[in-house]
C-alpha cells in the first residue's frame, strides 16, 4: 500500500502502513537516536546524551525503551560497577538505514 492507495481506500491514516511506521519512529527524538546509532554503534547512554545535546535523561531513557519495545534497539547491560549499558540497532532497524540515507541525500540537495 502506497500513498496513492489512501485515496482509494476509506481508511484512517493510523491504520495504514505509513501510520504504523510513524507510530514506531515518530516524535522528536527517535529518528535522531536511530541516526546516531547507525553512524556509530554500540553507543553508551551518556555518550548518546552528549551527542544529542538538548535531550534530558528522562526523555532519552523513555525513547530508548520505546525503541527497544518496538524491536529497533538492543540494550546490552554489563554487570559491573559503575553500570555500563550499550545500545545498538537490531536487524529490523537496519532495514530503515536506506530511508535514513535518502533523507540525508534530500537534505544535501535541498539545503
Amino acid at each position: 500500500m502506497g500513498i496513492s492507495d489512501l485515496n482509494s481506500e476509506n481508511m484512517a491514516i493510523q491504520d495504514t502502513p505509513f501510520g504504523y511506521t510513524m507510530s514506531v519512529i515518530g516524535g522528536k527524538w527517535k529518528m535522531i537516536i536511530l541516526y546516531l546509532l547507525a553512524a556509530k554503534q554500540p553507543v553508551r547512554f551518556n555518550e548518546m546524551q552528549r551527542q544529542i545535546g538538548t535531550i534530558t535523561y528522562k526523555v532519552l531513557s523513555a525513547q530508548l525503551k520505546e525503541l527497544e519495545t518496538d524491536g529497533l534497539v538492543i540494550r546490552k547491560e554489563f554487570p559491573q560497577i559503575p553500570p555500563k549499558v550499550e545500545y545498538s540497532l537490531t536487524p529490523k532497524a537496519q532495514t530503515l538505514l536506506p530511508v535514513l540515507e535518502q533523507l540525508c541525500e534530500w537534505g544535501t540537495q535541498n539545503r
Side-chain angles (χ1 to χ4, degrees):
M1 175 179 246
I3 294 172
S4 61
D5 296 324
L6 185 61
N7 287 334
S8 63
E9 304 270 337
N10 196 11
M11 158 185 305
I13 289 178
Q14 63 266 20
D15 297 330
T16 65
F18 177 78
Y20 167 74
T21 303
M22 292 309 296
S23 74
V24 174
I25 63 168
K28 183 176 180 179
W29 300 107
K30 288 183 181 178
M31 289 294 282
I32 294 168
I33 293 167
L34 293 172
Y35 179 81
L36 177 61
L37 288 172
K40 54 180 177 181
Q41 59 178 329
V43 179
R44 293 180 66 178
F45 185 92
N46 288 335
E47 180 185 352
M48 191 178 309
Q49 191 175 19
R50 272 193 303 276
Q51 288 281 320
I52 295 172
T54 58
I55 193 168
T56 65
Y57 177 92
K58 182 179 177 180
V59 171
L60 179 56
S61 180
Q63 295 292 281
L64 285 166
K65 284 178 187 170
E66 287 179 23
L67 288 167
E68 185 179 12
T69 299
D70 290 330
L72 297 178
V73 169
I74 298 169
R75 180 182 191 270
K76 186 174 181 183
E77 191 172 334
F78 297 90
Q80 65 184 46
I81 298 176
K84 177 181 174 184
V85 178
E86 292 180 342
Y87 295 90
S88 56
L89 297 177
T90 65
K92 180 179 177 180
Q94 297 282 342
T95 63
L96 278 170
L97 297 185
V99 176
L100 287 175
E101 286 294 335
Q102 288 179 337
L103 288 171
C104 291
E105 288 175 26
W106 186 90
T108 299
Q109 293 171 2
N110 294 285
R111 191 173 213 181

